[in-house]
Short mmCIF file of all heavy atoms in Angstrom, two decimals:
data_model
loop_
_atom_site.label_atom_id
_atom_site.label_comp_id
_atom_site.label_asym_id
_atom_site.label_seq_id
_atom_site.Cartn_x
_atom_site.Cartn_y
_atom_site.Cartn_z
N ILE B 1 129.93 23.10 31.78
CA ILE B 1 130.86 22.73 32.84
C ILE B 1 130.10 22.25 34.08
O ILE B 1 130.43 21.22 34.67
CB ILE B 1 131.76 23.92 33.20
CG1 ILE B 1 132.65 24.28 32.00
CG2 ILE B 1 132.63 23.61 34.41
CD1 ILE B 1 133.45 25.55 32.20
N SER B 2 129.07 23.01 34.47
CA SER B 2 128.29 22.64 35.65
C SER B 2 127.63 21.28 35.46
O SER B 2 127.65 20.42 36.36
CB SER B 2 127.22 23.70 35.92
OG SER B 2 127.80 24.96 36.10
N LEU B 3 127.02 21.09 34.30
CA LEU B 3 126.35 19.83 34.01
C LEU B 3 127.33 18.67 34.10
O LEU B 3 127.03 17.63 34.70
CB LEU B 3 125.71 19.87 32.62
CG LEU B 3 125.03 18.59 32.14
CD1 LEU B 3 123.86 18.25 33.04
CD2 LEU B 3 124.58 18.74 30.70
N TYR B 4 128.51 18.85 33.54
CA TYR B 4 129.50 17.76 33.53
C TYR B 4 129.94 17.41 34.95
O TYR B 4 129.92 16.24 35.35
CB TYR B 4 130.72 18.16 32.69
CG TYR B 4 131.85 17.16 32.81
CD1 TYR B 4 131.81 15.97 32.08
CD2 TYR B 4 132.93 17.39 33.65
CE1 TYR B 4 132.83 15.04 32.19
CE2 TYR B 4 133.95 16.45 33.77
CZ TYR B 4 133.90 15.29 33.03
OH TYR B 4 134.90 14.37 33.16
N TYR B 5 130.36 18.40 35.74
CA TYR B 5 130.92 18.11 37.06
C TYR B 5 129.88 17.58 38.02
O TYR B 5 130.14 16.62 38.77
CB TYR B 5 131.59 19.36 37.63
CG TYR B 5 132.96 19.61 37.06
CD1 TYR B 5 133.22 20.71 36.27
CD2 TYR B 5 134.02 18.73 37.30
CE1 TYR B 5 134.48 20.94 35.73
CE2 TYR B 5 135.27 18.94 36.78
CZ TYR B 5 135.50 20.04 35.99
OH TYR B 5 136.73 20.25 35.46
N PHE B 6 128.70 18.19 38.04
CA PHE B 6 127.68 17.70 38.98
C PHE B 6 127.19 16.31 38.59
O PHE B 6 126.92 15.47 39.45
CB PHE B 6 126.51 18.69 39.05
CG PHE B 6 126.80 19.88 39.91
CD1 PHE B 6 126.76 21.17 39.38
CD2 PHE B 6 127.12 19.75 41.25
CE1 PHE B 6 127.04 22.28 40.17
CE2 PHE B 6 127.39 20.84 42.05
CZ PHE B 6 127.35 22.11 41.51
N HIS B 7 127.08 16.06 37.29
CA HIS B 7 126.65 14.73 36.85
C HIS B 7 127.74 13.70 37.15
O HIS B 7 127.45 12.56 37.51
CB HIS B 7 126.34 14.75 35.36
CG HIS B 7 125.49 13.59 34.91
ND1 HIS B 7 126.00 12.34 34.68
CD2 HIS B 7 124.16 13.51 34.67
CE1 HIS B 7 125.02 11.52 34.31
NE2 HIS B 7 123.90 12.20 34.29
N ALA B 8 129.00 14.12 37.03
CA ALA B 8 130.11 13.20 37.29
C ALA B 8 130.19 12.82 38.76
O ALA B 8 130.56 11.69 39.09
CB ALA B 8 131.42 13.83 36.83
N ILE B 9 129.85 13.75 39.64
CA ILE B 9 130.03 13.48 41.07
C ILE B 9 128.78 12.84 41.69
O ILE B 9 128.88 12.04 42.61
CB ILE B 9 130.41 14.78 41.82
CG1 ILE B 9 131.04 14.43 43.17
CG2 ILE B 9 129.23 15.69 42.01
CD1 ILE B 9 132.34 13.71 43.09
N PHE B 10 127.60 13.19 41.16
CA PHE B 10 126.38 12.68 41.78
C PHE B 10 125.70 11.57 40.97
O PHE B 10 124.75 10.97 41.43
CB PHE B 10 125.38 13.82 42.00
CG PHE B 10 125.85 14.84 42.99
CD1 PHE B 10 126.16 16.13 42.60
CD2 PHE B 10 126.02 14.50 44.32
CE1 PHE B 10 126.61 17.07 43.52
CE2 PHE B 10 126.46 15.43 45.25
CZ PHE B 10 126.76 16.71 44.85
N ALA B 11 126.18 11.33 39.75
CA ALA B 11 125.59 10.27 38.91
C ALA B 11 126.71 9.43 38.33
O ALA B 11 127.81 9.39 38.85
CB ALA B 11 124.70 10.88 37.82
N SER B 12 126.44 8.81 37.22
CA SER B 12 127.43 7.90 36.65
C SER B 12 128.52 8.61 35.88
O SER B 12 129.55 8.03 35.57
CB SER B 12 126.71 6.90 35.72
OG SER B 12 126.05 7.62 34.67
N GLY B 13 128.31 9.86 35.53
CA GLY B 13 129.34 10.59 34.80
C GLY B 13 129.03 10.71 33.33
O GLY B 13 128.40 9.85 32.71
N LEU B 14 129.45 11.80 32.73
CA LEU B 14 129.28 12.05 31.30
C LEU B 14 130.65 12.05 30.63
O LEU B 14 131.68 12.20 31.28
CB LEU B 14 128.59 13.41 31.06
CG LEU B 14 127.17 13.56 31.60
CD1 LEU B 14 126.72 15.00 31.44
CD2 LEU B 14 126.23 12.63 30.85
N SER B 15 130.65 11.94 29.31
CA SER B 15 131.91 11.99 28.58
C SER B 15 132.50 13.39 28.68
O SER B 15 131.78 14.40 28.63
CB SER B 15 131.65 11.64 27.11
OG SER B 15 132.80 11.87 26.35
N ALA B 16 133.83 13.44 28.80
CA ALA B 16 134.51 14.74 28.90
C ALA B 16 134.69 15.41 27.55
O ALA B 16 135.14 16.56 27.49
CB ALA B 16 135.88 14.55 29.56
N ASP B 17 134.33 14.71 26.47
CA ASP B 17 134.55 15.28 25.13
C ASP B 17 133.78 16.58 24.94
O ASP B 17 134.31 17.56 24.40
CB ASP B 17 134.13 14.28 24.05
CG ASP B 17 134.93 12.99 24.13
OD1 ASP B 17 136.10 13.06 24.59
OD2 ASP B 17 134.40 11.92 23.77
N MET B 18 132.52 16.61 25.38
CA MET B 18 131.72 17.83 25.25
C MET B 18 132.30 18.97 26.07
O MET B 18 132.29 20.13 25.64
CB MET B 18 130.28 17.54 25.69
CG MET B 18 129.33 18.73 25.50
SD MET B 18 129.22 19.28 23.78
CE MET B 18 128.37 17.88 23.06
N LEU B 19 132.85 18.64 27.25
CA LEU B 19 133.47 19.67 28.09
C LEU B 19 134.69 20.26 27.40
O LEU B 19 134.87 21.47 27.35
CB LEU B 19 133.87 19.05 29.43
CG LEU B 19 134.58 19.95 30.42
CD1 LEU B 19 133.67 21.09 30.86
CD2 LEU B 19 135.06 19.15 31.62
N PHE B 20 135.55 19.40 26.83
CA PHE B 20 136.75 19.88 26.14
C PHE B 20 136.39 20.75 24.94
O PHE B 20 136.99 21.81 24.72
CB PHE B 20 137.61 18.69 25.69
CG PHE B 20 138.24 17.93 26.82
CD1 PHE B 20 138.43 16.56 26.74
CD2 PHE B 20 138.64 18.58 27.98
CE1 PHE B 20 139.01 15.86 27.78
CE2 PHE B 20 139.23 17.89 29.03
CZ PHE B 20 139.41 16.53 28.93
N LEU B 21 135.41 20.30 24.15
CA LEU B 21 135.02 21.07 22.97
C LEU B 21 134.36 22.40 23.36
O LEU B 21 134.57 23.41 22.69
CB LEU B 21 134.06 20.24 22.10
CG LEU B 21 134.70 19.06 21.36
CD1 LEU B 21 133.64 18.24 20.64
CD2 LEU B 21 135.76 19.54 20.38
N SER B 22 133.58 22.40 24.45
CA SER B 22 132.94 23.64 24.90
C SER B 22 133.98 24.66 25.33
O SER B 22 133.88 25.85 24.97
CB SER B 22 131.99 23.34 26.07
OG SER B 22 130.95 22.51 25.67
N LEU B 23 134.99 24.22 26.06
CA LEU B 23 136.04 25.15 26.50
C LEU B 23 136.87 25.64 25.32
O LEU B 23 137.26 26.82 25.28
CB LEU B 23 136.94 24.46 27.53
CG LEU B 23 136.31 24.25 28.90
CD1 LEU B 23 137.18 23.36 29.77
CD2 LEU B 23 136.07 25.58 29.60
N SER B 24 137.14 24.78 24.35
CA SER B 24 137.88 25.20 23.16
C SER B 24 137.08 26.22 22.36
O SER B 24 137.61 27.22 21.88
CB SER B 24 138.21 23.98 22.29
OG SER B 24 139.02 23.07 22.99
N PHE B 25 135.76 25.95 22.22
CA PHE B 25 134.90 26.91 21.52
C PHE B 25 134.85 28.24 22.26
O PHE B 25 134.87 29.32 21.65
CB PHE B 25 133.49 26.33 21.38
CG PHE B 25 132.47 27.33 20.91
CD1 PHE B 25 132.44 27.73 19.59
CD2 PHE B 25 131.56 27.89 21.80
CE1 PHE B 25 131.50 28.67 19.15
CE2 PHE B 25 130.64 28.82 21.38
CZ PHE B 25 130.60 29.21 20.04
N TYR B 26 134.79 28.18 23.59
CA TYR B 26 134.77 29.41 24.40
C TYR B 26 136.00 30.26 24.13
O TYR B 26 135.91 31.48 23.97
CB TYR B 26 134.68 29.05 25.88
CG TYR B 26 135.12 30.17 26.80
CD1 TYR B 26 134.27 31.24 27.06
CD2 TYR B 26 136.39 30.17 27.37
CE1 TYR B 26 134.68 32.27 27.88
CE2 TYR B 26 136.80 31.19 28.20
CZ TYR B 26 135.94 32.24 28.45
OH TYR B 26 136.36 33.27 29.26
N CYS B 27 137.19 29.63 24.06
CA CYS B 27 138.43 30.38 23.84
C CYS B 27 138.41 31.07 22.48
O CYS B 27 138.80 32.24 22.36
CB CYS B 27 139.63 29.45 23.93
SG CYS B 27 139.93 28.77 25.57
N VAL B 28 137.95 30.37 21.45
CA VAL B 28 137.90 30.95 20.10
C VAL B 28 136.87 32.07 20.04
O VAL B 28 137.15 33.18 19.56
CB VAL B 28 137.58 29.86 19.05
CG1 VAL B 28 137.44 30.48 17.67
CG2 VAL B 28 138.68 28.80 19.04
N ALA B 29 135.65 31.79 20.53
CA ALA B 29 134.57 32.78 20.44
C ALA B 29 134.86 34.02 21.27
O ALA B 29 134.62 35.15 20.82
CB ALA B 29 133.25 32.14 20.89
N SER B 30 135.38 33.85 22.48
CA SER B 30 135.67 35.01 23.33
C SER B 30 136.76 35.87 22.72
O SER B 30 136.70 37.10 22.79
CB SER B 30 136.08 34.54 24.74
OG SER B 30 137.25 33.75 24.69
N ALA B 31 137.78 35.24 22.10
CA ALA B 31 138.85 36.02 21.46
C ALA B 31 138.30 36.84 20.31
O ALA B 31 138.64 38.03 20.15
CB ALA B 31 139.96 35.08 20.97
N MET B 32 137.44 36.24 19.49
CA MET B 32 136.87 36.97 18.34
C MET B 32 135.96 38.10 18.80
O MET B 32 136.00 39.21 18.23
CB MET B 32 136.10 36.00 17.45
CG MET B 32 136.98 35.00 16.72
SD MET B 32 136.05 33.88 15.68
CE MET B 32 137.38 32.96 14.90
N LEU B 33 135.14 37.84 19.82
CA LEU B 33 134.25 38.89 20.32
C LEU B 33 135.04 40.03 20.97
O LEU B 33 134.67 41.20 20.85
CB LEU B 33 133.26 38.30 21.32
CG LEU B 33 132.15 37.44 20.71
CD1 LEU B 33 131.38 36.70 21.80
CD2 LEU B 33 131.20 38.29 19.88
N LEU B 34 136.14 39.69 21.65
CA LEU B 34 136.99 40.74 22.23
C LEU B 34 137.59 41.61 21.13
O LEU B 34 137.65 42.83 21.25
CB LEU B 34 138.11 40.10 23.05
CG LEU B 34 137.84 39.82 24.53
CD1 LEU B 34 139.07 39.20 25.17
CD2 LEU B 34 137.45 41.09 25.27
N THR B 35 138.05 40.96 20.06
CA THR B 35 138.63 41.71 18.94
C THR B 35 137.60 42.66 18.33
O THR B 35 137.93 43.81 18.02
CB THR B 35 139.15 40.74 17.86
OG1 THR B 35 140.06 39.83 18.46
CG2 THR B 35 139.87 41.49 16.75
N CYS B 36 136.38 42.18 18.17
CA CYS B 36 135.34 43.01 17.55
C CYS B 36 134.86 44.12 18.47
O CYS B 36 134.46 45.19 17.99
CB CYS B 36 134.16 42.14 17.14
SG CYS B 36 134.53 40.93 15.86
N SER B 37 134.88 43.90 19.78
CA SER B 37 134.31 44.89 20.71
C SER B 37 135.30 45.97 21.12
O SER B 37 134.88 47.03 21.59
CB SER B 37 133.80 44.18 21.97
OG SER B 37 134.87 43.56 22.67
N ASN B 38 136.60 45.73 20.94
CA ASN B 38 137.60 46.71 21.36
C ASN B 38 138.08 47.51 20.16
O ASN B 38 138.52 46.94 19.15
CB ASN B 38 138.78 45.99 22.04
CG ASN B 38 139.78 46.96 22.63
OD1 ASN B 38 140.74 47.36 21.98
ND2 ASN B 38 139.56 47.36 23.87
#
């Protein structure tokens, strides 16, 4: 997220696809880890 936003504002910008996939992966992984840890 940091890489995407700072590069977008101070440089030419990166594709948002990696940002969307990273956030989607975060939601899946965090849910599974929460299930396993509780």
Side-chain angles (χ1 to χ4, degrees):
I1 295 173
S2 302
L3 177 64
Y4 172 79
Y5 280 114
F6 281 120
H7 199 280
I9 199 65
F10 294 113
S12 60
L14 297 173
S15 171
D17 300 331
M18 184 60 69
L19 178 64
F20 291 146
L21 289 175
S22 297
L23 288 170
S24 299
F25 169 75
Y26 160 78
C27 293
V28 176
S30 61
M32 291 180 176
L33 287 169
L34 271 180
T35 305
C36 295
S37 63
N38 186 269

